[in-house]
Structure formats: C-alpha cells, structure tokens
Amino acid sequence: MDSVEKQAAYGDKPREECGVFGIFGHPRAAALTYYGLVALQHRGQEAAGITSTDGSRMYSHKGLGLLTDVFRAGELEGLHGHAAIGHVRYSTAGSNTIQNAQPIALATHARNFAIAHNGNLVNARFLRIQLEEQGSLFQTTSDTEVIAHLIAKEGAGDLADLVARAVQKIEGGFALVILSDDELIAVRDPFGLRPMVLGRLGDAHVVASESCAFETVGATLVRDVEPGELLHITRHGVRSARFAPRRARRMCTFEHVYFARPDSDVDGWNVHSVRKQLGRILAERHPAPGDIVIGVPDSSVSAAAGYAEQSGLPLETGLIKNKYIARTFIQPSQELRDLGVRLKLNAVRSVVEGKRVVLIDDSIVRGTTSRRIVRLLRGAGAREVHVRISSPPYVSPCHYGIDTAKEDELIAARHSIEEIRRAIEADSLEFLTVDELMQGFGFPPGAPVPFCNACFTRRYPTSLIDQTLNEGMEPIRIGG
C-alpha cells in the first residue's frame, strides 16, 4: 500500500504499528487472545495472527485483514494449548504481505519459538546486513524477523537469557511477546517508548499493549511493564529481570493524544482523563469565539468534553462517524479519494447550521483531512469554524513504531500556524504548546518529563542509525 492509498484508506493521521497480546496458564488461551486482540484492533487493521502451544507443539494461524477476516471458519478451534500470543498489524516497517503478518515463527536446532512485536527499530537495516553477512536468510521485510534471528544466533540455553542478550543489540521502540513450548516472555524497550502492561486472570498471567484488552477478557491490571524489563512467565509464575541499565523514561506522548483507547491506563495515566485535561487547557489558554463545541470522532471526543466544560459552551455531536467503512478500501478512484472524509464523517446540519463551531481535533499531519472537515461543516451551514488542536504542531516523523508522513509532507514542518489556518480554511487555529501538553499530565513548565515528544520537538531519544546508513554514512557498529 503506497502513501496515497494509506491516506485514502486510513485518513490523514499517524498510525500505530501494532498491538500485542499474550497469555500463559489458561485452557482457552487462543480464544482469549482473540478477544484481547479485538480490543486492540484500533492499533492495526492490516493483518492479524495467533500462535499457541500445548507444551509440546505450537499451532499458528495468521492472515491479512481484520480479525474477523482472518479468523472466519473455526480456525481458533485448531489453536490448542494453555498459552498463546497474538498480534494485529499496521505496516510501518515492511510491506503488507502475508509473509510479514505476525507472530513470526522460527525453528532452530535448539527450539521452536514465535515472536510478535509492537514498535520499530532504528538499527534494523544495519543489523539485517550484519546477519545476512553471517549467513542468516530472511523470509520477510519486517524488523521483527531481525529480532528473531538475533535470538536464534545466541544459540542454546535458557530462552530468557538468550532474549536478554539479543535485545541488548537493538535500538528503538519495542514491546515484544515471545512464545516457546512452555514459556512466555515479554520485553519492553529501555525508554518505554512502546506501552506494555501485565495482568492476571485467575491463575493465568496476561500481557498486552493496552489495559483495555484486560477489561475485554476479564483480567485485572497488575502494573505496567517497566522500561528495560523482561518478564519470564512459566508454570512457576512470573520472573522479572532487567536487560538494560535504567535510563530516563521517554514514553510516547502520542499514545495519550491519539493512539490508545480512552478506557486504557497507560503508564499510570488514564487516557480519557488526560485528553479531557488537554481540552480544558485548550479552552483556558486558547479560547475561541463559538456557540458550540464539536470533537472529531473518536479520539478527540474526550478533549472536546474538557474544552466544553472549561469554556461553558455546549458540547454537541456535530460529526457522525460511519463505523462500517471497510478498512480494506485501498485502491479508490480519484473521485472517491476526494470524497474520503464524506465516506467516514457526516455533519449534522441541524446542530451546526448558523453556528460558530469550535472544532476540537487531536492533531494535524498533512492538513488535507482538516480542510475537508472544515469544508464539510461549512457545507452543513456552519457560520464560522474555529479549530483547536489538543497537541503541538506535528513537525517531525516518528522512528519508533508510528507510521507518519515524511517531514516534507508534514504541514507544520513547512508552514506557520497562520499559513496552516489558511490552508485548512478555518476562521482561527490554535495548538497546545509542548509545555501545555505536559501540564496535561501534571508537569509544570520546564520540569523534566518522562515522555518522548520528538514529533513535536525533533529531539529524539536515540541515534537514528538506519537513517544515517540511508544517507551513506557509516554508523557505529552495535554488538559483535
């Protein structure tokens, strides 16, 4: 899927790469993994898969599309066992092919194991070149297979120890679930760039990208997996170990701004509560002359509620989202591309006609969708449209597992706020500042914060090794 097709299919928003889920110690492990992945479907809609084990054999099924496309005719019944891992995918690294669907299984002389990954490595291409020079053969273009080969290269021994040594060689954002015959391993990157949580379901242990998956399967949230932590889950329980020295946390702010479900708790903050507070700050610092407040569904509804409460303006449902537009809509005609927003959103004329609308959205990436929504509201009779964004201007692409446009396609990287306002045809436009965004989490201006804000500041927490390689420069070699 090229960038034009992705924009048509998914809209003008960054996309999270993946969601992962794992469970150990439950007789219906595969079925619970399926339902956990349903709760995480917003994190990836291009491919899905589940691998399970009964202690002596592993079973797997995966395919392209939504979970309902991949698991149609009793495939879950063939996934036996007490432990399973699952994955939903949106392709940032690697094309959307069945070979790149996860979990990825690897058979070695020492053992069989399967791996699923949420995130993106900044040294995957460099490591892949090294591994190919050492004789590794790759079947996919995914950086997840790079991690699998690194684990296999460590040889025989305790799998948790092999994984710990292998992940010391990778850089970037990663939350991994790894399954062998009778053990489940979960790993979170040293900066905490990608989220991961640990839960309990009776005697079973559960891990997932977001806590909303636990609510779906009836599990209880225990805690977040710590950055740089490896969890080794067996029939004897959960063993925790660190595979990397402690670093300053750099959790992804955009999980709270846009990606995560509002009912999830991510790194100690409830997503809905954070978004609502961001809306309050918007109203306080960047008020707009309006009659009603409208949030762009679904991710901006919480921020719109906060804005309405703080401003005293009524919160209205002025945009209706069509939830049944097929996400496999990847090759539209030009006419349908132009109608892309109308296929997904309808303006409620009786609500917006003659009104000054304050439109709350979480971000502006290219600006094309924002312009179409403004036009949609004006076409329904809105007298004025004032746009307020519950994050700072998005000026730089993510390299840690979020699919964004290239920097020269990011409207805020090339234009002032006033120029963006004119481009999206709004009557006014304001963004939160980075300090105001951090105040939504309770941090005063200038205080050290545990977040990665690179998409707003261009200050990345890691070196960008593959990007250096792409520019013809020799990167520092990592590992042996």
Side-chain angles (χ1 to χ4, degrees):
M1 191 186 296
D2 63 27
S3 60
V4 173
E5 290 171 341
K6 282 187 177 182
Q7 186 178 344
Y10 296 104
D12 184 19
K13 289 289 183 184
R15 289 286 161 178
E16 176 65 78
E17 180 183 9
C18 307
V20 296
F21 185 93
I23 184 168
F24 188 96
H26 198 285
R28 299 179 60 246
L32 290 172
T33 299
Y34 175 86
Y35 291 118
L37 292 176
V38 169
L40 300 174
Q41 185 75 88
H42 61 287
R43 300 184 73 89
Q45 299 90 32
E46 292 185 358
I50 297 173
T51 298
S52 68
T53 180
D54 59 11
S56 59
R57 180 182 171 187
M58 299 181 75
Y59 309 84
S60 186
H61 181 75
K62 58 186 179 179
L64 300 180
L66 301 173
L67 283 156
T68 51
D69 299 322
V70 176
F71 294 91
R72 285 179 177 271
E75 288 90 354
L76 277 173
E77 297 173 6
L79 300 178
H80 308 290
H82 63 281
I85 61 173
H87 188 266
V88 288
R89 182 172 192 268
Y90 178 82
S91 57
T92 63
S95 59
N96 187 39
T97 65
I98 185 61
Q99 289 81 8
N100 285 327
Q102 297 182 32
I104 292 175
L106 210 64
T108 74
H109 68 281
R111 64 172 52 81
N112 300 330
F113 67 91
I115 180 172
H117 169 211
N118 169 32
N120 203 64
L121 305 184
V122 296
N123 64 338
R125 182 176 175 227
F126 176 67
L127 289 171
R128 184 181 180 113
I129 291 171
Q130 284 187 310
L131 288 164
E132 288 176 341
E133 289 173 348
Q134 296 166 11
S136 293
L137 299 176
F138 286 83
Q139 304 300 314
T140 78
T141 59
S142 169
D143 54 1
T144 309
E145 192 180 8
V146 171
I147 304 172
H149 279 280
L150 287 173
I151 296 169
K153 283 285 186 181
E154 293 295 331
D158 180 79
L159 180 59
D161 292 339
L162 305 183
V163 171
R165 292 201 296 269
V167 296
Q168 290 173 21
K169 300 176 182 178
I170 63 179
E171 290 280 345
F174 53 91
L176 308 172
V177 286
I178 301 164
L179 184 70
S180 70
D181 284 337
D182 206 24
E183 57 193 326
L184 172 64
I185 295 169
V187 183
R188 189 179 184 191
D189 70 79
F191 290 103
L193 287 158
R194 302 266 59 85
M196 178 173 271
V197 287
L198 170 68
R200 286 292 299 268
L201 178 59
D203 294 330
H205 299 278
V206 193
V207 292
S209 292
E210 288 184 42
S211 62
C212 63
F214 294 166
E215 297 288 336
T216 300
V217 301
T220 301
L221 173 66
V222 174
R223 63 177 176 86
D224 291 280
V225 179
E226 290 294 310
E229 184 179 19
L230 181 150
L231 298 179
H232 187 200
I233 305 173
T234 68
R235 64 183 183 278
H236 302 297
V238 180
R239 179 171 63 89
S240 171
R242 294 200 62 82
F243 66 87
R246 293 189 182 276
R247 302 181 185 179
R249 286 185 179 225
R250 289 295 180 264
M251 303 171 293
C252 175
T253 313
F254 228 72
E255 288 286 345
H256 288 277
V257 170
Y258 174 67
F259 292 128
R261 262 179 39 168
D263 53 333
S264 286
D265 293 328
V266 178
D267 289 305
W269 285 276
N270 174 259
V271 174
H272 165 73
S273 297
V274 169
R275 290 178 184 169
K276 197 169 183 182
Q277 181 61 16
L278 296 177
R280 293 189 185 104
I281 295 170
L282 260 181
E284 179 184 344
R285 307 290 177 82
H286 307 282
D291 301 310
I292 59 173
V293 179
I294 289 173
V296 178
D298 292 311
S299 58
S300 302
V301 172
S302 298
Y307 189 102
E309 285 186 6
Q310 184 68 29
S311 66
L313 296 175
L315 176 66
E316 293 283 0
T317 300
L319 292 169
I320 302 297
K321 184 177 182 180
N322 187 342
K323 298 180 182 295
Y324 303 100
I325 294 298
R327 292 192 183 266
T328 51
F329 173 56
I330 62 174
Q331 291 184 324
S333 66
Q334 184 60 50
E335 290 81 6
L336 288 180
R337 277 196 198 106
D338 293 339
L339 293 173
V341 169
R342 291 184 181 274
L343 289 172
K344 296 175 183 177
L345 291 174
N346 290 325
V348 183
R349 179 176 292 274
S350 61
V351 170
V352 305
E353 191 168 25
K355 300 292 197 312
R356 297 174 301 168
V357 174
V358 182
L359 178 69
I360 308 298
D361 204 354
D362 51 74
S363 59
I364 295 179
V365 180
R366 295 178 181 88
T368 52
T369 295
S370 297
R371 181 173 61 249
R372 288 168 182 163
I373 293 175
V374 170
R375 288 177 176 176
L376 191 66
L377 291 170
R378 292 197 193 281
R383 183 154 54 95
E384 297 175 7
V385 181
H386 301 273
V387 178
R388 295 295 181 267
I389 306 299
S390 60
S391 66
Y394 202 109
V395 299
S396 192
C398 178
H399 296 273
Y400 304 116
I402 296 171
D403 184 59
T404 55
K406 296 177 182 178
E407 184 161 333
D408 60 3
E409 298 174 333
L410 300 173
I411 192 169
R414 300 176 287 113
H415 298 287
S416 68
I417 293 177
E418 173 58 22
E419 288 171 335
I420 299 171
R421 182 198 67 77
R422 292 200 298 266
I424 68 172
E425 301 175 6
D427 290 282
S428 70
L429 170 66
E430 297 286 349
F431 295 79
L432 289 179
T433 67
V434 173
D435 278 346
E436 289 166 350
L437 176 63
M438 292 297 95
Q439 287 173 48
F441 296 89
F443 294 98
V449 297
F451 291 101
C452 174
N453 286 314
C455 53
F456 309 127
T457 65
R458 296 189 174 93
R459 294 193 292 272
Y460 295 97
T462 72
S463 59
L464 304 179
I465 296 168
D466 283 348
Q467 182 170 310
T468 302
L469 192 65
N470 291 338
E471 292 170 354
M473 300 170 66
E474 182 65 25
I476 299 172
R477 299 184 78 81
I478 294 177

